């Protein structure tokens, strides 16, 4: 049984504890799913999570609008990741892909949210390009005014849900100013003429991922999200909400690795006694538990700060993401070590956690980028 004592920390309200409890029960009954066909698995996960009501926190409710509750998003990601990385992915992308619509969308654009919350439409966030991942200000895709609309040309890559999404939130250069101030965000349906999947990308922990080609993709003026030239601000505002949730997913993976290790060291006998009696093993367990608790404190501090109405939580979210993902990598590596040969055996839980965690230290701002962000915030303060 995972340690869930963190739920009694003062960051949470009773509704968070109730949410965590019911999601835990749902996960125990429905997860993990088979990962053989990731497209089909993701579609099914989105449909099931949606029909059972779990996708509601991923975007605003347009009927009774209230700000996104980052603590709920983090609890959901931590819980889902602990049970099944693909379920966490399916949940997370509904949030990241709709974040711009929740925060800046027009009522017409927000009509998509009813579908994404119900698991009836799949969302994606298309920011990265072959020559601009960390360096977003270097975005090359163009969106040129054409009559009463825009024409988009260029490429996006590493796009999660690429190939199965129903729509993409796309960032392109509209040229109001050089660099970051000349970008705008657009809502582009997946069936727009000229939008194609140029390549499907395979990674160490498979999930739907693609490089997309935009060849004279025409969208109406109503596809523009927010103001022209505010694309970078929109992208950063979305990441400000969702970056802490990447830390939460890492925390879920780390907690699972710790749980698996606790079972292993209690059951496995070495030199005539359970492994847990070896002091060096105890040292590993202590380090793992410490990293998990410290990561949880940073993740839920960032989530709580955002929910208290902070305009930006750049420093807190960067710290949460950096620490939780880096430490989860170390916790999982220790779990693999404690499992001996079983730890690297294909299909073992800790082997899949070892693959699942790696990309989290790269996407939504690599660890090095988070350090730059933290240093700027601290030096500027
Ligand atoms: C599995 C996966 C899913 C993804 N999903 C999406 C998605 O849905 N939508 C989307 O838009 N993008 C997505 N991405 C893209 C992701 O955000 C980028 O890969 C990431 O921003 C890094 O960009 P890059 O790959 O171009 O690497 P680069 O920008 O070339 O960076 C390479 C490395 O350089 C170092 N570095 C970068 N900047 C600095 C700096 N300022 N100081 C010091 N070191 C630095 C870091 O170590 C970094 O890892 C995904 C990526 C992966 C791997």
């Amino acid at each position: 049984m995972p340690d869930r004592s963190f739920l009694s920390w003062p960051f949470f309200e009773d509704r968070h504890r109730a949410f965590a409890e019911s999601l835990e029960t749902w996960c125990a009954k429905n997860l993990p799913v088979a990962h053989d066909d990731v497209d089909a698995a993701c579609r099914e996960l989105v449909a099931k999570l949606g029909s059972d009501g779990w996708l509601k926190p991923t975007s605003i409710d347009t009927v009774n609008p209230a700000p996104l509750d980052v603590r709920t998003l983090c609890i959901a990601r931590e819980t889902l990741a602990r049970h099944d990385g693909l379920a966490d992915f399916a949940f997370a992308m509904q949030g990241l892909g709709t974040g711009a619509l929740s925060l800046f969308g027009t009522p017409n654009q927000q009509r998509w949210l009813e579908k994404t919350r119900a698991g009836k439409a799949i969302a994606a966030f298309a920011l990265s390009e072959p020559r601009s991942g960390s360096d977003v200000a270097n975005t090359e895709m163009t969106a040129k005014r054409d009559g009463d609309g825009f024409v988009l040309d260029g490429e996006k890559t590493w796009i999660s849900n690429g190939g199965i999404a129903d729509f993409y939130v796309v960032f392109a250069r509209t040229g109001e100013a050089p660099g970051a101030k000349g970008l705008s965000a657009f809502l582009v349906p997946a069936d727009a003429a000229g939008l194609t999947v140029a390549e499907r990308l395979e990674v160490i922990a498979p999930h739907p991922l693609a490089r997309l080609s935009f060849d004279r993709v025409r969208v109406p003026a109503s596809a523009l999200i927010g103001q022209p030239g505010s694309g970078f601000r929109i992208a950063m505002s979305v990441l400000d909400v969702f970056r802490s949730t990447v830390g939460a997913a890492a925390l879920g993976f780390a907690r699972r690795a710790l749980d698996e290790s606790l079972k292993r060291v209690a059951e496995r006998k070495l030199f005539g006694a359970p492994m847990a009696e070896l002091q060096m093993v105890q040292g590993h367990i202590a380090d793992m538990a410490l990293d998990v608790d410290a990561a949880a404190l940073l993740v839920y501090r960032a989530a709580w700060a955002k929910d208290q109405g902070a305009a930006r939580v750049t420093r807190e979210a960067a710290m949460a993401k950096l620490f939780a993902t880096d430490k989860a990598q170390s916790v999982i590596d220790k779990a693999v070590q404690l499992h001996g040969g079983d730890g690297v055996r294909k299909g073992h839980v800790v082997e899949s956690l070892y693959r699942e965690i790696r990309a989290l230290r790269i996407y939504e701002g690599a660890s090095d980028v988070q350090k730059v962000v933290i240093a700027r915030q601290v030096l500027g303060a």
Side-chain angles (χ1 to χ4, degrees):
M1 188 64 185
D3 175 13
R4 286 159 73 221
S5 58
F6 71 97
L7 288 166
S8 60
W9 291 351
F11 296 124
F12 302 107
E13 298 166 27
D14 283 344
R15 65 193 170 91
H16 297 116
R17 288 181 267 276
F19 177 86
E21 201 62 45
S22 358
L23 182 55
E24 184 66 34
T25 308
W26 185 90
C27 289
K29 207 165 133 205
N30 293 284
L31 301 179
V33 299
H35 288 202
D36 312 323
D37 177 344
V38 285
D39 285 9
C42 275
R43 283 199 181 97
E44 277 167 33
L45 279 164
V46 168
K48 181 82 177 136
L49 284 163
S51 65
D52 290 352
W54 297 111
L55 295 178
K56 286 184 183 161
T58 59
S59 66
I60 60 157
D61 176 356
T62 49
V63 182
N64 296 304
L68 293 166
D69 190 86
V70 187
R71 287 167 294 174
T72 303
L73 289 169
C74 285
I75 290 172
R77 288 202 66 179
E78 179 185 337
T79 309
L80 291 166
R82 189 158 39 73
H83 286 270
D84 184 351
L86 209 53
D88 163 59
F89 168 82
F91 174 92
M93 284 314 302
Q94 293 299 89
L96 187 67
T98 58
L101 303 184
S102 284
L103 300 177
F104 300 96
T106 60
N108 200 33
Q109 292 167 343
Q110 288 181 342
R111 294 229 298 254
W112 275 104
L113 301 182
E114 202 182 316
K115 286 189 177 172
T116 55
R117 286 155 60 82
K120 293 183 174 161
I122 295 181
F125 178 84
L127 178 64
S128 303
E129 298 182 1
R131 279 180 293 275
S132 71
S134 310
D135 188 5
V136 176
N138 194 35
T139 294
E140 291 178 349
M141 175 179 251
T142 54
K144 295 202 173 113
R145 288 241 179 226
D146 180 53
D148 58 353
F150 294 85
V151 174
L152 277 63
D153 276 293
E155 271 198 347
K156 292 287 169 187
T157 194
W158 302 117
I159 306 309
S160 298
N161 278 342
I164 67 163
D166 292 289
F167 67 88
Y168 299 89
V169 168
V170 180
F171 297 83
R173 183 160 301 284
T174 36
E176 289 73 16
K181 293 195 173 146
L183 306 179
S184 300
F186 297 90
L187 172 56
V188 184
D191 60 2
L195 166 51
T196 50
V197 174
E199 184 186 9
R200 290 299 299 263
L201 307 172
E202 285 188 33
V203 286
I204 54 175
H207 67 254
L209 199 64
R211 179 165 60 87
L212 306 173
S213 167
F214 292 71
D215 182 12
R216 293 199 54 76
V217 174
R218 198 169 194 292
V219 292
S222 59
L224 179 71
I225 303 169
Q227 297 302 311
S230 65
F232 185 79
R233 190 170 72 83
I234 291 176
M236 293 308 124
S237 303
V238 171
L239 293 177
D240 212 49
V241 172
F242 288 97
R243 198 162 263 156
S244 319
T245 79
V246 181
L251 179 58
F253 292 144
R255 239 189 249 288
R256 179 65 183 266
L258 176 57
D259 290 347
E260 295 296 323
S261 303
L262 291 175
K263 268 191 274 168
R264 173 81 181 193
V265 301
E267 284 162 10
R268 175 98 172 149
K269 288 212 165 106
L270 285 185
F271 312 107
M275 275 178 82
E277 289 183 19
L278 296 168
Q279 275 198 347
M280 209 113 84
V281 168
Q282 292 174 3
H284 283 317
I285 296 291
D287 286 342
M288 293 160 86
L290 178 62
D291 285 344
V292 164
D293 271 15
L297 281 162
L298 281 173
V299 165
Y300 290 112
R301 188 266 300 249
W304 172 84
K306 186 75 182 164
D307 289 344
Q308 297 317 294
R312 296 296 294 258
V313 287
T314 309
R315 184 177 101 139
E316 292 85 347
M319 284 183 170
K321 201 236 170 198
L322 171 66
F323 190 86
T325 56
D326 279 7
K327 292 301 179 186
Q329 183 86 59
S330 149
V331 168
I332 293 166
D333 189 59
K334 288 192 174 79
V336 169
Q337 194 70 18
L338 290 172
H339 278 77
D342 283 339
V344 289
R345 198 165 166 194
K346 201 169 170 196
H348 195 287
V349 177
V350 295
E351 177 270 339
S352 68
L353 290 169
Y354 192 76
R355 290 183 290 101
E356 292 275 7
I357 187 59
R358 193 62 187 86
L360 278 66
R361 295 172 61 209
I362 296 172
Y363 65 62
E364 289 188 44
S367 294
D368 319 69
V369 174
Q370 303 309 326
K371 283 188 190 166
V372 174
V373 170
I374 294 165
R376 274 197 199 132
Q377 294 283 317
V378 174
L379 290 166

